[in-house]
């Protein structure tokens, strides 16, 4: 320090420490403790600065050994004596350390001890200058801690950070930058970009540095930087660093890797494009509405559905309602309001009237979006133009009604034709055969025994053939128009047919008639349909089922009659069996008959589990 150097010079030049001029010099200094020691280390002088710093008055300290300013540990280690020995040997010693005040408190001291000698070179004592550096040391400690925190922050930051001087040479880089670029600190500090990076990349860095220096303000840009992981996209912020005079002294930079974000943004953009295309193909428009702010957004497809130009219409909830047909507007508003009030989604259909006057039918599915506290954030909806499908449904229902009417008419025609054929067989063929039978019998009686045996045998054979033909025709007429069905109802007709079927096929058939008297309420059309279904089902049993037993069941309940035919035969897979294909016409005929009667038909089967045909018709 300058003061102790000056003091040593004065004493070396022969100045007497005790004269008035010297005392004036020393006593005028209050920031330093300046005092003299004799050769034994006892205090021989004391200035105001020493009293302020040490806390001792002159009368209290003069004659005391200067070791009282040191800690007990230092005194025990003879540290004060060692300092005097060094000063005597080297002429001057400068140290820093903790010293004691009178009150026992410690302070950080900067101490210079100078050996004093006379002109003959003999040691006459020591001059000691002490300065209190506690505040300075604390400030330095804060700076050091701040630098350590800054270093910890920069080294643990996910971003790359650097500082360059005005010449473009790197003065600081954080650990992240070194790790990402695969460099050691000595490979980059003190060097410029051309000495570290490839030519093209260095030129890009230099160009952005020049822009910062020219503008004198921060810039932000995206740069592609080659790292150990390959080419990565970074968001780089570069800013000027100013000196105390306000001049640009360098450039700082922070580079954040945004590669994944850019990829996500690109993927999101692609997904949005794909979604927009999908909405266009599907005719699906979407919207969202924030009731709190009133903000509403429509997708491009929704504009198309409404027939509105996206550039001319700013969507709001009011403009949304304006698109709805006036007759449906109140109901639509009520549905949305109720969804918000009750906090649940909704499905609603309404009509939209386009600017060109055309009307479209729209189905809207709405959902409520909530925040983490359960509060309603917004309402989102998807609108599907179902005009064509609705028109197709109407046309399909009309076609189905027409088909059902046609089927009913065909069944009526078929039954009428059956009755006509049965009548023809009875009135014409049956009568003729009966007459023929009588005639043959008369001829056989008239011939008597005079006729040849051969002729009589032929006549008897002809009578047998006529009787057999009459029986066959009666059976055919019963099939075409069961007399029991007409006279006694469905239960009696099924009982007769089941008995005949059992005889023909050697199959045990059981009829369970639980409906009993309620069958009499059954319309004739439905009774005929169920009888024909029984005929078709039993025919399928005979052809395909290889069944031993068949159960027929009639039961009535809740205004409908249920009829089933169940067998214990082979069964089949309704989805894939060739037997289904073989009997498809029969199944179709049964279904058409029961549908024409206003009922329905169901077939249940599984391989090895038999088959059940269930039909139900209204009473």
């Amino acid at each position: 320090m300058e003061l102790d150097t000056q003091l040593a010079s004065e004493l070396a030049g022969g100045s007497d420490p005790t004269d008035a001029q010297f005392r004036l010099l020393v006593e005028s200094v209050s920031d330093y403790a300046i005092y003299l020691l004799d050769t034994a280390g006892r205090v021989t002088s004391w200035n105001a600065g020493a009293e302020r710093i040490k806390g001792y008055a002159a009368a209290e300290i003069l004659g005391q050994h200067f070791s009282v300013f040191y800690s007990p540990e230092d005194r025990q280690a003879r540290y004060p004596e060692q300092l005097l020995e060094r000063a005597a040997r080297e002429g001057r010693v400068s140290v820093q350390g903790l010293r004691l005040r009178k009150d026992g408190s410690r302070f950080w001291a900067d101490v210079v001890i100078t050996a004093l000698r006379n002109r003959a070179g003999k040691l006459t004592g020591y001059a000691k200058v002490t300065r209190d550096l506690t505040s300075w040391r604390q400030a330095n400690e804060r700076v050091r801690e701040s630098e350590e925190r800054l270093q910890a922050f920069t080294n643990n930051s996910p971003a790359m950070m650097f500082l360059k001087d005005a010449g473009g040479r790197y003065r600081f880089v954080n650990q992240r930058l070194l790790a990402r670029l695969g460099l050691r600190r000595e490979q980059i500090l003190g060097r410029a970009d051309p000495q570290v990076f490839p030519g093209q990349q260095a030129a890009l860095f230099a160009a952005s540095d020049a822009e910062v220096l020219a503008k004198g303000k921060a810039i932000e840009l995206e740069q592609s930087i080659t790292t150990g992981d390959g080419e990565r996209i970074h968001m780089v912020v570069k800013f000027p660093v100013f000196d105390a005079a306000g001049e640009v002294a360098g450039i700082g930079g922070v580079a954040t890797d945004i590669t994944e974000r850019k990829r996500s943004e690109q993927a999101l953009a692609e997904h949005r494009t794909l979604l927009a295309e999908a909405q266009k193909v599907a005719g699906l428009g979407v919207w969202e509405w924030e009731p709190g702010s009133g903000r509403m957004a429509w997708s491009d497809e929704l504009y198309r559905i409404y027939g509105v130009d996206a550039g001319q219409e700013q969507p709001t909830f009011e403009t949304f309602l304006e698109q709805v047909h006036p007759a449906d507007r109140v109901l639509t508003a009520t549905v949305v309001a109720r969804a918000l009030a009750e906090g649940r989604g909704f499905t609603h259909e309404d009509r939209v009237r386009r600017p060109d006057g055309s009307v479209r039918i729209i189905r809207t599915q709405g959902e409520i979006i909530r925040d983490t506290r359960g509060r309603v954030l917004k309402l989102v909806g998807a609108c599907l133009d179902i005009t064509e499908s609705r028109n197709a449904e109407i046309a399909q229902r009309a076609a189905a009604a027409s088909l059902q009417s046609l089927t009913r008419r065909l069944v009526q025609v078929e039954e009428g034709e059956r009755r006509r054929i049965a009548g023809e067989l009875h009135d014409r063929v049956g009568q003729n055969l009966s007459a023929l039978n009588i005639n043959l019998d008369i001829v056989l009686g008239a011939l008597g025994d005079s006729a040849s045996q051969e002729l009589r045998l032929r006549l008897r054979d002809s009578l047998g053939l006529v009787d057999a033909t009459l029986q066959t025709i009666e059976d055919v007429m019963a099939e075409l128009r069961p007399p029991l069905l007409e006279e006694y109802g469905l239960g009696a007709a099924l009982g007769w047919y089941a008995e005949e079927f059992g005889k023909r096929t050697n199959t045990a058939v059981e009829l369970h008639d639980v409906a009993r008297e309620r069958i009499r309420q059954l319309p004739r059309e439905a009774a005929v349909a169920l009888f024909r279904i029984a005929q078709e089902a039993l025919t399928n049993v005979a052809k395909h089922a290889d069944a031993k037993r068949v159960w027929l069941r009639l039961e009535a309940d809740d205004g409908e009659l249920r009829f089933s035919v169940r067998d214990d035969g082979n069964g089949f897979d309704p989805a894939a069996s060739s037997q289904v294909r073989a009997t498809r016409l029969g199944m179709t005929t049964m279904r058409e008959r029961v549908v024409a009667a206003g009922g329905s038909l169901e077939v249940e089967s599984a391989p090895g589990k038999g088959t059940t045909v269930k039909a139900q018709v209204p009473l």
Side-chain angles (χ1 to χ4, degrees):
M1 79 185 39
E2 294 296 330
L3 184 61
D4 75 283
T5 301
Q6 178 183 354
L7 180 62
S9 176
E10 291 289 335
L11 293 171
S15 298
D16 185 353
T18 62
D19 65 20
Q21 185 178 6
F22 181 78
R23 286 196 304 271
L24 182 63
L25 170 65
V26 171
E27 291 174 359
S28 65
V29 179
S30 61
D31 291 337
Y32 294 82
I34 304 174
Y35 54 96
L36 297 177
L37 306 176
D38 62 16
T39 56
R42 290 182 293 270
V43 179
T44 60
S45 69
W46 197 248
N47 76 332
E51 184 173 346
R52 184 185 66 80
I53 294 173
K54 305 282 190 177
Y56 291 95
E60 296 175 307
I61 195 64
L62 290 176
Q64 296 288 328
H65 195 274
F66 84 108
S67 61
V68 298
F69 307 136
Y70 292 81
S71 67
E73 296 84 6
D74 287 344
R75 289 198 299 269
Q76 187 170 353
R78 299 189 74 255
Y79 182 61
E81 289 80 1
Q82 292 173 11
L83 290 178
L84 294 182
E85 291 172 3
R86 281 183 56 194
R89 185 173 58 253
E90 299 173 8
R92 181 175 179 270
V93 61
S94 176
V95 294
Q96 289 185 0
L98 289 173
R99 299 293 183 267
L100 294 178
R101 295 188 178 94
K102 177 185 175 181
D103 61 5
S105 63
R106 301 191 180 200
F107 68 97
W108 190 260
D110 178 52
V111 178
V112 177
I113 302 176
T114 303
L116 302 178
R117 296 181 184 276
N118 61 17
R119 294 184 182 278
K122 182 180 178 180
L123 180 67
T124 59
Y126 302 92
K128 187 174 181 183
V129 181
T130 302
R131 184 170 57 162
D132 186 352
L133 293 183
T134 304
S135 298
W136 171 85
R137 189 167 184 268
Q138 290 174 347
N140 279 357
E141 186 66 19
R142 287 194 295 271
V143 171
R144 183 186 63 79
E145 291 174 354
S146 177
E147 289 179 348
E148 287 178 354
R149 286 194 297 268
L150 178 62
Q151 192 73 25
F153 170 77
T154 57
N155 283 338
N156 289 282
S157 170
M160 298 190 295
M161 300 180 180
F162 60 87
L163 285 174
K164 300 179 183 179
D165 60 23
R169 292 178 293 274
Y170 286 92
R171 295 305 181 190
F172 165 81
V173 292
N174 71 340
Q175 193 62 39
R176 182 70 61 178
L177 184 144
L178 296 174
R180 288 278 177 85
L181 300 182
L183 297 173
R184 298 188 304 277
R185 200 174 297 276
E186 61 270 19
Q187 290 178 298
I188 189 169
L189 291 182
R191 301 186 181 187
D193 287 322
Q195 298 172 288
V196 180
F197 300 102
Q200 185 176 3
Q201 189 159 283
L204 291 174
F205 294 167
S208 56
D209 289 352
E211 185 178 353
V212 172
L213 294 174
K215 292 182 177 180
K217 62 180 182 180
I219 64 170
E220 187 175 296
L221 68 156
E222 289 185 11
Q223 284 187 335
S224 181
I225 301 176
T226 302
T227 69
D229 297 327
E231 199 82 6
R232 307 286 292 182
I233 302 172
H234 289 75
M235 175 60 68
V236 181
V237 178
K238 289 189 174 182
F239 51 89
V241 178
F242 299 96
D243 60 16
E247 299 295 329
V248 177
I251 298 170
V254 178
T256 305
D257 191 334
I258 60 170
T259 307
E260 302 307 325
R261 191 187 82 186
K262 295 293 289 185
R263 289 174 179 170
S264 298
E265 289 175 353
Q266 182 179 358
L268 180 60
E270 292 173 353
H271 291 162
R272 284 176 175 170
T273 301
L274 181 61
L275 178 60
E277 291 298 321
Q279 290 177 1
K280 184 176 181 181
V281 171
L284 183 69
V286 297
W287 54 267
E288 65 176 37
W289 176 44
E290 297 176 358
S293 64
R295 188 188 71 84
M296 194 173 201
W298 293 355
S299 69
D300 293 340
E301 185 61 20
L302 189 59
Y303 280 102
R304 191 199 65 77
I305 290 174
Y306 289 158
V308 176
D309 187 352
Q312 297 178 355
E313 190 72 50
Q314 179 61 38
T316 63
F317 188 70
E318 289 71 23
T319 57
F320 164 71
L321 286 179
E322 288 174 3
Q323 312 306 315
V324 179
H325 193 283
D328 300 341
R329 197 169 292 165
V330 174
L331 179 59
T332 298
T334 302
V335 168
V336 175
R338 184 179 300 153
L340 287 174
E342 298 177 359
R344 57 176 177 79
F346 67 91
T347 300
H348 177 60
E349 291 183 9
D350 53 21
R351 292 169 294 170
V352 167
R353 188 167 62 185
R354 289 177 169 177
D356 61 5
S358 61
V359 175
R360 310 294 293 179
I361 303 173
I362 307 299
R363 177 183 294 135
T364 301
Q365 179 77 37
E367 293 294 337
I368 299 291
I369 304 298
R370 303 175 182 274
D371 63 12
T372 54
R373 297 182 179 180
R375 295 175 299 187
V376 175
L377 288 178
K378 58 185 175 181
L379 187 64
V380 297
C383 297
L384 181 65
D385 188 342
I386 60 171
T387 307
E388 280 72 22
S389 62
R390 182 54 54 82
N391 292 339
E393 288 176 7
I394 294 173
Q396 185 178 14
R397 283 198 296 268
S402 298
L403 179 60
Q404 186 173 353
S405 176
L406 178 61
T407 302
R408 186 178 292 110
R409 179 59 182 157
L410 288 174
V411 170
Q412 292 172 350
V413 170
E414 180 183 356
E415 289 301 323
E417 188 65 17
R418 284 174 177 268
R419 287 195 297 272
R420 188 189 67 80
I421 294 174
E424 288 289 325
L425 290 174
H426 179 272
D427 295 339
R428 298 178 63 178
V429 179
Q431 295 294 337
N432 291 340
L433 287 174
S434 295
L436 178 60
N437 186 286
I438 293 171
N439 290 337
L440 288 173
D441 191 49
I442 292 172
V443 170
L444 181 61
L447 288 175
D449 295 333
S450 61
S452 65
Q453 184 68 22
E454 181 180 359
L455 180 59
R456 291 174 65 84
L457 288 173
R458 286 187 178 275
L459 285 174
R460 288 192 181 93
D461 184 53
S462 298
L463 282 169
L465 289 173
V466 171
D467 286 337
T469 303
L470 280 171
Q471 185 60 49
T472 301
I473 289 175
E474 286 179 3
D475 292 343
V476 170
M477 287 191 298
E479 289 276 351
L480 292 173
R481 188 179 181 184
L484 291 176
L485 182 63
E486 298 288 344
E487 296 177 14
Y488 300 103
L490 180 61
L494 289 175
W496 163 77
Y497 191 78
E499 184 179 355
E500 292 296 318
F501 177 82
K503 292 178 180 178
R504 291 198 310 270
T505 62
N506 196 28
T507 303
V509 182
E510 297 180 23
L511 172 65
H512 300 276
D513 185 1
V514 185
R516 301 185 184 280
E517 295 299 322
R518 297 197 63 180
I519 294 181
R520 297 184 181 277
Q521 305 172 21
L522 191 65
R524 183 184 181 280
E525 182 183 41
V528 172
L530 293 179
F531 183 79
R532 299 304 181 199
I533 288 172
Q535 287 181 307
E536 187 66 40
L538 290 173
T539 299
N540 288 336
V541 169
K543 289 182 178 179
H544 308 292
D546 192 22
K548 303 301 181 184
R549 298 179 66 85
V550 180
W551 296 268
L552 279 67
R553 184 177 180 84
L554 279 169
E555 54 186 345
D557 190 20
D558 297 333
E560 67 179 16
L561 181 73
R562 293 186 294 276
F563 172 59
S564 64
V565 179
R566 179 170 63 88
D567 67 65
D568 63 353
N570 299 328
F572 60 92
D573 181 358
S577 176
S578 60
Q579 183 173 329
V580 176
R581 293 192 293 272
T583 61
R584 184 175 297 158
L585 182 58
M587 294 290 186
T588 301
T589 302
M590 286 192 287
R591 183 168 284 106
E592 287 177 352
R593 286 184 177 278
V594 75
V595 169
S600 61
L601 182 78
E602 182 181 357
V603 178
E604 297 177 355
S605 186
K609 301 294 184 180
T611 301
T612 302
V613 177
K614 298 179 179 180
Q616 58 185 31
V617 293
L619 285 172

